[in-house]
Amino acid sequence: MRVLVATAVPAERDAVAGAFAPSGAEVIAAGVGPALAAAATATALTRAALAGTPYDLVVSAGIAGGFAPDAPVGSLVVADEITAADLGAETPDGFLAVTELGFGTVTHHPPEALVREVAAATGARPGAVLTVSTVTGTAVRAASLRERHPTALAEAMEGFGVAEAAAAHRTPVLELRAISNPVGPRDRAAWRIGDALAALADGFGKLAPVLESWNPHDQ
């Protein structure tokens, strides 16, 4: 089984690559934000397809902000939906997603059975992971996001872009995140990036047997 893991930055890439080394796996630092993540992931998928060695699964991985109290710092979250939280329009009546405007999509759903297996193997909690272009820095925005997305456990900046690229190649997608900080008022001193990277590596160390036994055709 060939797996492409897309992280944002080299520190995340190194944490994953050090723990996750099944045959046919590639771990890349795709860049920060949904646009760069989509472009780098699509490039890797296209290169593999042209070489006759397409990937069977794409994984968006890294650290993230967690919505308290459901996703505490140091915990793992696996996405049962990957949603672009700020792709749409502001109106006098509130935010409208592009789907409500009549075009596009804002959500991708990883394979349900795979999400369950990953959660069982790694201890990750399943829930929605939001993709944002601007990291939340206030309690007001955190509350607004949670009101619009009541099942949200985390926010990050790349998952939806990775999922869009995977969808274009008709390849299943998964998102696994380790929580480094609470979503809300920005307090950089309270972030626990080292702890989150360690949790991410531990999760991927437990992930390989799940993916090696998973059949993408059984979705």
Side-chain angles (χ1 to χ4, degrees), residues 101-201:
L101 297 171
F103 57 91
T105 185
V106 293
T107 297
H108 293 278
H109 293 280
E112 291 182 10
L114 180 59
V115 170
R116 288 194 300 269
E117 291 177 22
V118 169
T122 65
R125 181 167 182 178
V129 176
L130 307 182
T131 299
V132 295
S133 296
T134 301
V135 172
T136 298
T138 67
V140 171
R141 186 169 189 250
S144 175
L145 286 175
R146 198 66 185 276
E147 182 179 1
R148 295 208 313 264
H149 307 280
T151 66
L153 294 180
E155 72 165 24
M157 301 183 75
E158 295 79 32
F160 184 76
V162 172
E164 286 278 84
H169 283 260
R170 299 182 180 180
T171 305
V173 68
L174 185 73
E175 184 167 12
L176 184 65
R177 294 280 173 177
I179 305 304
S180 60
N181 59 280
V183 176
R186 187 173 176 82
D187 181 7
R188 187 66 174 78
W191 289 17
R192 298 292 180 264
I193 292 177
D195 292 343
L197 290 174
L200 185 68

Side-chain angles (χ1 to χ4, degrees), residues 42-66:
T43 297
L45 288 168
T46 300
R47 182 179 65 244
L50 291 174
T53 56
Y55 290 102
D56 300 296
L57 178 71
V58 180
V59 184
S60 177
I63 62 175

